[in-house]
Amino acid sequence: IDSVPRGGDLYIRYRDGTLKNLTLAAGYGVSGLQGATSIAVRDPSVHWNGQKVIFSMVIGNATHQYHYLSYRWQMYEITGLGKNETPLITKVANQPVDFNNVMPVYGTDDRIIFVSDRPRNGAAHLYPQRDEYESTATNSGLWSLDSSNGELFLMDHAPSGDFNPTLDSFGRVI
């Protein structure tokens, strides 16, 4: 996470070719020199109805040399995607807050399927998970979250990590 450059935003391109910086319009990120309120955005995925997008974002960065703090990728949803609407970004409720949650997609039942580096049982002493070949930090696999009630379960534990889940036309996770 310390190696991730800040300054990435989430944009939308409308049919007439105009662009809108959704994160800046919603009050996230800064222009120019990045610092304590800077952001990086990754892995946007549009909901089936086209009215919202889920993505991962990290907020904050060092403000001076040798300034080290802990940052985590967390999942956020954005609504208000219309050209004349003000976008609203909300943090996904009930996600594992002390871990990195990335590559989210909406399941057919509105559960969120994502990749996390949360240990399979949540035990802090097992963090970070290590790759089976190189012993480098990796994710623990695919997770499924019902953000309305916090039901979370590990769909697939992968010693070398899982990446980029997608759903096929039948709703199966690939």
Side-chain angles (χ1 to χ4, degrees):
I1 193 80
D2 297 331
S3 302
V4 176
R6 305 302 196 266
D9 289 299
L10 184 64
Y11 279 81
I12 189 170
R13 182 173 184 233
Y14 296 102
R15 291 178 191 229
D16 66 2
T18 59
L19 290 172
K20 182 178 188 179
N21 184 334
L22 293 170
T23 44
L24 192 58
Y28 287 84
V30 294
S31 296
L33 182 64
Q34 302 297 301
T37 59
S38 63
I39 63 169
V41 174
R42 63 181 282 181
D43 311 315
S45 181
V46 180
H47 189 271
W48 305 103
N49 66 16
Q51 300 300 307
K52 59 184 177 178
V53 176
I54 191 166
F55 61 97
S56 295
M57 181 167 63
V58 62
I59 300 173
N61 201 5
T63 55
H64 55 278
Q65 190 175 13
Y66 307 118
H67 184 227
Y68 299 104
L69 296 172
S70 180
Y71 304 99
R72 300 280 187 244
W73 288 98
Q74 294 286 280
M75 296 181 293
Y76 293 83
E77 283 184 317
I78 187 166
T79 56
L81 303 175
K83 195 171 187 178
N84 297 318
E85 292 181 89
T86 301
L88 176 65
I89 294 176
T90 54
K91 191 173 183 179
V92 172
N94 298 313
Q95 66 180 298
V97 294
D98 293 330
F99 306 100
N100 295 294
N101 306 315
V102 296
M103 303 176 204
V105 295
Y106 291 105
T108 55
D109 57 356
D110 272 345
R111 290 184 72 88
I112 299 168
I113 299 164
F114 64 102
V115 173
S116 181
D117 61 1
R118 177 188 188 271
R120 65 178 185 237
N121 64 359
H125 71 281
L126 297 176
Y127 184 82
Q129 298 284 271
R130 298 288 178 180
D131 174 87
E132 64 184 322
Y133 300 110
E134 298 175 1
S135 264
T136 56
T138 190
N139 66 68
S140 57
L142 288 180
W143 294 81
S144 178
L145 171 69
D146 182 339
S147 63
S148 65
N149 63 19
E151 181 189 12
L152 175 72
F153 67 87
L154 182 62
M155 296 175 66
D156 175 52
H157 181 256
S160 290
D162 280 335
F163 305 92
N164 302 310
T166 59
L167 271 67
D168 70 7
S169 60
F170 293 100
R172 296 175 296 196
V173 178
I174 300 171

